[in-house]
Amino acid sequence: MSVIAKGRATMRTVSEKRRQVFKHALGKPQAMAWPEADQETQSGIVDMLCTALGPVGMYFAESRRASKRLAHRKRRAVRSANNRNSKKEPPVKPSERFPTTIDNYESVMAGKDLLAHIVLGINGTTRMLERQARSGLSVPESERIALVVVCKGDVDPQMIAHFPGLAHTAHAAANGNSRESTKSGDGGLRLVGVGKGAEQKLANA
């Protein structure tokens, strides 16, 4: 018993005497600071986005229901094909995917149209910014990104650390690399980082 107790004490003593290890990491010289926005401004932006993206949420929800309807219809068609005496189900036409009888049909279609003007996700947004930074003025004005909203408080900082520099480069390229346009902040691209909880709020919109 005494040997075991002594062994435990020795292990505890060793663990307590372990020194803390400090790792030195150099900052990235090309890293840029995020634009600052107070909490009220961030909340206002998120609320406006939730309102504007409401039809997109309706479209996604109806798309999921439509996929279930199509899957059910395909299962019925397979059962009908196995029964020679039954009549086969006609194929579903693309126009029947969202019948005009569904609730909020106009809002659903508006959400579908709105998707052509927005980009979702880190990878998709990064690709669009890289295209704008690379092509500059050759990108049609209607296809240039005007606003990038990043859920900064809900995402690993390393995954979004490239956005400030990339957004600045894309903005400068779209304005012909003019120093005046990048300093004045008039027009062009805007980058906003919003706080914790914004990602879930936008997802529920």
Side-chain angles (χ1 to χ4, degrees), residues 130-153:
E130 288 175 341
R131 172 176 177 254
Q132 188 165 312
R134 181 174 57 252
S135 303
L137 294 174
S138 63
V139 177
E141 189 172 352
S142 60
E143 298 180 10
R144 297 176 191 173
I145 296 181
L147 174 66
V148 177
V149 179
V150 182
C151 297
K152 186 181 175 184

Side-chain angles (χ1 to χ4, degrees), residues 98-120:
F98 298 111
T100 56
T101 55
I102 63 175
D103 296 335
N104 302 317
Y105 174 79
E106 293 183 357
S107 297
V108 170
M109 292 297 100
K112 181 181 179 182
D113 295 337
L114 186 58
L115 277 175
H117 303 283
I118 62 176
V119 181
L120 302 176

